[in-house]
């Protein structure tokens, strides 16, 4: 273990795991409670368009991903709120178009493209110090916003009509939430890759929501669980020479199935 | 309270209202005045526009034509005086939240942004919970409760807003008969305490023993500020007598109440 920590890339990777866990716990809980899993998945995949575009123009792919995932969050959020029918179709189409843009621009970029794969499948071992600072910044922003609007976010997640009748700024809160999802996606992209983001964003919170009744408790438990999943997955992948992102997701998936079984078969689970 | 010498505007004042969704008109030429202390029961077939009327009153749907005033103001401003109990179907039945947290939402408002709940809020929340007989369950998860208990929690949340008008959309759907009676008794007491009530429902036979006035609605509203439901009103609302029985409104019950009204 000490040997492990002597590698700079390993220290960075473990630190990245800690940082994304907070975003996962906090944003993931809101995504699960507000039933925005599909939007979160759509935003994640659309972000690949930004990666491809940035790659083509020789800009830092993270910037492209931030721009695309924020744009996708707002667009999908708008579709979700404004159109009455076929929201899932529209979001699904945007999801695919975003990915297609990324792939086409990658095709048009000459040279070696292995780096692009790391955005799809994650590369926690390649996390740089700059990435860590960016993650820390996003965490501070996201956690402050959620702390500031905690009771209002809970109220709109539970019952939006009632919140509107109380004259809460429901639309603004929704906008803030989709923007936070966009930022969380960029963070998680480095760790598990765009394709598997939905799992890490939703599984810890979904487990918490099965057993707990207070939103802040769910957020804490989800943070702890994603810390266990990312660290555990990272160590396993290191020792068995596996892809880290996929290992993290498989551990999460197994834990979720286990939690579902426990919830199903213990009648009087303590709330 | 305001100075009693000043004539209060009606709680709700709707004139020549038309509203609907996309190309469909659901409300036609609605005129409705709700006065202080009333307990109105609104009946009518599904799809007859009852919920739409509520949502227009609450400023959740824009009218196409006509005017809506809540406490003399536009619905977006006046609705802070309305305690709203939405329809059961609007909730996620597995949502993880405690009973007390639901009721505390009634204390939220735009002025409350950035400010935590106060001791006064907590006192009000406890009092409203006690009022609906749910104080002992305040720490339980909402999803563990029965349908009737949940409805009482939503009523407590609406009461926590200190409403002048309580508006309920089918509060007894998916609630057994005993719990139903409990809810109606509760509404009766709340009305006695000076809160005006507007109740949308489908079970006239129960409601007729609690409400003060009854309206019938099917796109158009038949309401005369009285408790009498005439055959004519029902025929206009439900279409034909066969339909009436299908909706569980036997004439026998109506006839008895025509006598009382």
């Amino acid at each position: 273990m000490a040997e492990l920590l002597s590698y700079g890339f390993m220290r960075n990777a473990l630190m990245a795991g800690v940082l994304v866990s907070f975003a996962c716990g906090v944003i993931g809980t809101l995504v699960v409670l507000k039933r925005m899993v599909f939007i979160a998945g759509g935003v994640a995949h659309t972000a690949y368009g930004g990666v491809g575009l940035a790659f083509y123009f020789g800009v830092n792919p993270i910037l492209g991903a931030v721009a695309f995932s924020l744009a996708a969050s707002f667009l999908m959020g708008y579709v979700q709120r404004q159109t009455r029918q076929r929201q899932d179709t529209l979001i699904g189409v945007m999801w695919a178009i975003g990915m297609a843009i990324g792939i086409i621009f990658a095709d048009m970029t000459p040279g070696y493209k292995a780096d692009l794969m790391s955005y799809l499948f994650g590369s926690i071992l390649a996390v740089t110090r700059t990435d860590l600072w960016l993650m820390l910044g996003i965490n501070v922003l996201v956690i402050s916003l959620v702390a500031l609007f905690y009771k209002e976010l809970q109220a709109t997640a539970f019952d939006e009509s009632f919140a509107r009748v109380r004259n809460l700024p429901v639309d603004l809160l929704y906008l803030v939430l989709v923007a936070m999802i966009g930022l969380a996606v960029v963070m998680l992209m480095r760790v598990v890759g765009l394709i598997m983001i939905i799992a890490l964003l939703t599984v810890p919170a979904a487990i918490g929501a099965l057993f707990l009744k207070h939103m802040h408790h769910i957020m804490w438990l989800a943070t702890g669980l994603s810390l266990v999943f990312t660290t555990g997955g990272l160590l396993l992948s290191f020792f068995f020479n596996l892809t880290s992102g996929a290992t993290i997701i498989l551990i999460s998936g197994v834990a979720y199935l286990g939690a579902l079984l426990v919830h199903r078969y213990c009648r009087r689970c303590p709330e | 309270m305001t100075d009693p010498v000043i004539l209060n505007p009606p709680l709700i004042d709707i004139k020549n209202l038309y509203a609907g969704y996309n190309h469909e008109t659901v409300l036609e030429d609605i005129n409705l005045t709700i006065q202080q202390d009333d307990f109105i029961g609104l009946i009518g077939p599904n799809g007859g526009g009852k919920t739409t009327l509520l949502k227009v009153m609450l400023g959740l749907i824009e009218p196409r034509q006509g005017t809506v005033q809540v406490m003399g103001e536009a619905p977006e401003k006046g609705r802070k005086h309305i305690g709203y109990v939405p329809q059961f179907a609007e909730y996620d039945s597995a949502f993880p939240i405690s009973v007390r947290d639901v009721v505390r939402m009634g204390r939220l408002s735009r002025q409350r942004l950035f400010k935590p709940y106060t001791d006064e809020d907590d006192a009000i929340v406890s009092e409203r919970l006690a009022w609906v007989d749910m104080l002992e369950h305040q720490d339980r998860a909402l999803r563990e409760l029965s349908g009737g208990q949940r409805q009482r929690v939503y009523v407590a949340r609406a009461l926590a807003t200190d409403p002048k008008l309580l508006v309920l959309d089918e509060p007894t759907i998916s609630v057994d008969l005993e719990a139903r009676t409990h809810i109606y008794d509760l509404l009766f007491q709340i009305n006695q305490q000076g809160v005006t009530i507007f109740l949308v429902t489908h079970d006239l036979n129960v409601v007729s023993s609690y409400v003060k006035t009854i309206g019938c609605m099917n796109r158009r509203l038949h309401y005369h500020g009285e408790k009498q439901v005439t055959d004519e009103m029902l025929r206009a609302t439900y279409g034909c007598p066969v339909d009436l029985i299908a909706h569980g409104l036997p004439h026998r019950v109506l006839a008895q109440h025509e006598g009382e009204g």
Side-chain angles (χ1 to χ4, degrees):
Chain A
M1 194 69 188
E3 187 206 345
L4 214 62
L5 286 172
S6 68
Y7 297 120
F9 69 85
M10 203 58 185
R11 284 200 304 271
N12 283 355
L14 288 167
M15 196 58 204
V18 172
L19 288 172
V20 297
S21 295
F22 284 96
C24 264
V26 173
I27 300 303
T29 299
L30 289 166
V31 166
V32 168
L33 293 192
K34 215 167 158 49
R35 295 172 169 255
M36 293 169 72
V37 176
F38 193 61
I39 286 197
V43 170
H45 285 76
T46 312
Y48 191 67
V51 172
L53 209 63
F55 210 68
Y56 179 77
F57 287 108
V59 189
N60 183 351
I62 294 281
L63 289 178
V66 169
F68 255 63
S69 73
L70 280 181
S73 322
F74 289 133
L75 202 60
M76 289 180 186
Y78 179 80
V79 164
Q80 176 81 19
R81 316 247 331 153
Q82 297 301 325
T83 42
R84 290 200 171 274
Q85 300 135 8
R86 305 276 171 222
Q87 301 163 348
D88 55 341
T89 309
L90 276 168
I91 290 169
V93 168
M94 284 192 256
W95 169 322
I97 289 176
M99 293 230 69
I101 291 175
I103 293 167
I104 296 293
F105 274 97
D107 282 347
M108 297 188 333
T109 311
Y112 183 63
K113 290 163 205 159
D115 196 35
L116 271 170
M117 296 295 273
S118 77
Y119 293 96
L120 285 176
F121 299 107
S123 56
I124 194 171
L125 294 174
V127 167
T128 62
R129 288 195 76 85
T130 320
D131 290 337
L132 289 178
W133 282 111
L134 180 74
M135 288 178 180
L136 182 68
I138 293 177
N139 258 332
V140 169
L141 180 68
V142 160
I143 293 171
S144 321
L145 280 170
V146 172
L148 204 56
F149 295 111
Y150 179 84
K151 53 191 193 316
E152 287 80 14
L153 284 168
Q154 186 183 33
T156 52
F158 177 67
D159 183 352
E160 204 171 284
S161 320
F162 186 84
R164 206 177 275 280
V165 172
R166 294 309 302 153
N167 283 324
L168 297 182
V170 172
D171 294 316
L172 182 67
L173 287 169
Y174 189 80
L175 218 60
V176 169
L177 182 56
V178 289
M180 290 193 296
I181 293 174
L183 291 174
V185 158
V186 176
M187 273 177 91
L188 289 167
M189 181 178 77
R190 298 298 283 158
V191 176
V192 288
L194 293 170
I195 291 176
M196 292 175 284
I197 279 177
I198 333 178
L200 192 55
L201 196 57
T202 53
V203 163
I207 294 175
L210 283 178
F211 300 101
L212 301 171
K213 66 184 170 206
H214 293 294
M215 193 167 87
H216 58 282
H217 291 169
I218 299 174
M219 287 176 171
W220 280 114
L221 180 62
T223 302
L225 285 173
S226 37
L227 194 58
V228 171
F229 298 155
T230 48
T231 314
L234 188 57
L235 295 179
L236 275 183
S237 70
F238 185 79
F239 288 119
F240 295 98
N241 196 22
L242 303 166
T243 306
S244 53
T247 315
I248 292 169
I249 296 303
L250 268 186
I251 293 180
S252 320
V254 169
Y256 185 51
L257 291 178
L260 282 176
L261 284 175
V262 169
H263 184 259
R264 179 87 175 72
Y265 289 105
C266 85
R267 291 255 162 253
R268 282 269 141 231
C269 286
E271 277 274 2
Chain B
M1 291 303 288
T2 47
D3 190 339
V5 179
I6 299 167
L7 193 65
N8 286 325
L11 295 180
I12 302 282
D13 197 7
I14 297 177
K15 288 199 175 76
N16 307 317
L17 171 76
Y18 287 77
Y21 308 93
N22 300 328
H23 301 294
E24 197 192 354
T25 305
V26 184
L27 302 180
E28 287 177 19
D29 197 22
I30 306 289
N31 290 284
L32 172 67
T33 311
I34 300 181
Q35 298 292 353
Q36 189 76 46
D37 296 327
D38 204 349
F39 187 162
I40 305 179
L42 184 67
I43 57 163
N46 290 334
K50 304 188 298 289
T51 298
T52 309
L53 178 60
L54 279 194
K55 293 200 164 168
V56 172
M57 276 163 49
L58 292 162
L60 298 175
I61 294 175
E62 284 282 310
R64 289 229 179 106
Q65 258 187 61
T67 57
V68 179
Q69 287 202 314
V70 181
M71 306 278 299
E73 293 179 301
E76 288 78 13
K77 292 194 95 178
R79 65 185 171 193
K80 61 173 179 281
H81 302 291
I82 302 180
Y84 176 39
V85 181
Q87 218 172 83
F88 212 72
E90 295 203 6
Y91 300 102
D92 168 4
S93 60
F95 197 97
I97 192 164
S98 75
V99 167
R100 193 174 179 88
D101 279 352
V102 173
V103 179
R104 285 212 294 188
M105 282 175 196
R107 302 305 301 160
L108 293 175
S109 69
R110 200 176 272 267
Q111 291 71 38
R112 250 304 143 64
L113 286 167
F114 310 112
K115 288 179 207 147
Y117 293 113
T118 62
D119 290 348
E120 193 202 347
D121 290 326
D122 277 330
I124 291 171
V125 167
S126 298
E127 197 219 351
R128 301 304 189 266
L129 276 164
W131 204 357
V132 303
D133 219 0
M134 288 298 291
L135 189 57
E136 58 177 315
H137 300 295
Q138 60 170 329
D139 292 323
R140 290 180 66 189
L142 186 75
R143 58 189 170 192
E144 290 178 348
L145 304 181
S146 69
Q149 288 175 320
R150 278 189 216 185
Q151 283 300 346
R152 281 186 277 142
V153 173
Y154 299 137
V155 171
R157 177 179 66 163
L159 288 173
T161 67
D162 280 330
K164 301 247 187 311
L165 173 68
L166 190 62
V167 159
L168 306 100
D169 195 354
E170 301 274 15
T172 54
I173 260 181
S174 74
V175 168
D176 64 49
L177 194 65
E178 196 187 340
R180 209 176 276 199
T181 315
H182 192 159
I183 290 170
Y184 285 126
D185 282 336
L186 180 67
L187 294 179
F188 185 77
Q189 287 168 31
I190 291 167
N191 182 240
Q192 297 281 301
Q193 299 289 320
V195 180
T196 312
I197 296 183
F198 188 78
L199 168 70
V200 163
T201 184
H202 61 280
D203 50 8
L204 175 66
N205 22 3
V206 182
V207 122
S208 54
S209 35
Y210 294 92
V211 302
K212 291 175 178 165
T213 59
I214 295 179
C216 294
M217 173 139 194
N218 191 358
R219 284 170 180 268
R220 289 174 179 272
L221 174 67
H222 303 271
Y223 178 68
H224 315 293
E226 290 166 357
K227 197 171 175 177
Q228 263 178 349
V229 179
T230 61
D231 245 13
E232 201 184 320
M233 278 163 81
L234 284 171
R235 209 176 292 272
T237 305
Y238 287 95
C240 61
V242 181
D243 228 348
L244 264 182
I245 292 156
H247 280 87
L249 302 165
H251 284 279
R252 183 175 48 78
V253 175
L254 294 170
Q256 282 171 357
H257 284 282
E258 269 173 16
E260 279 176 29

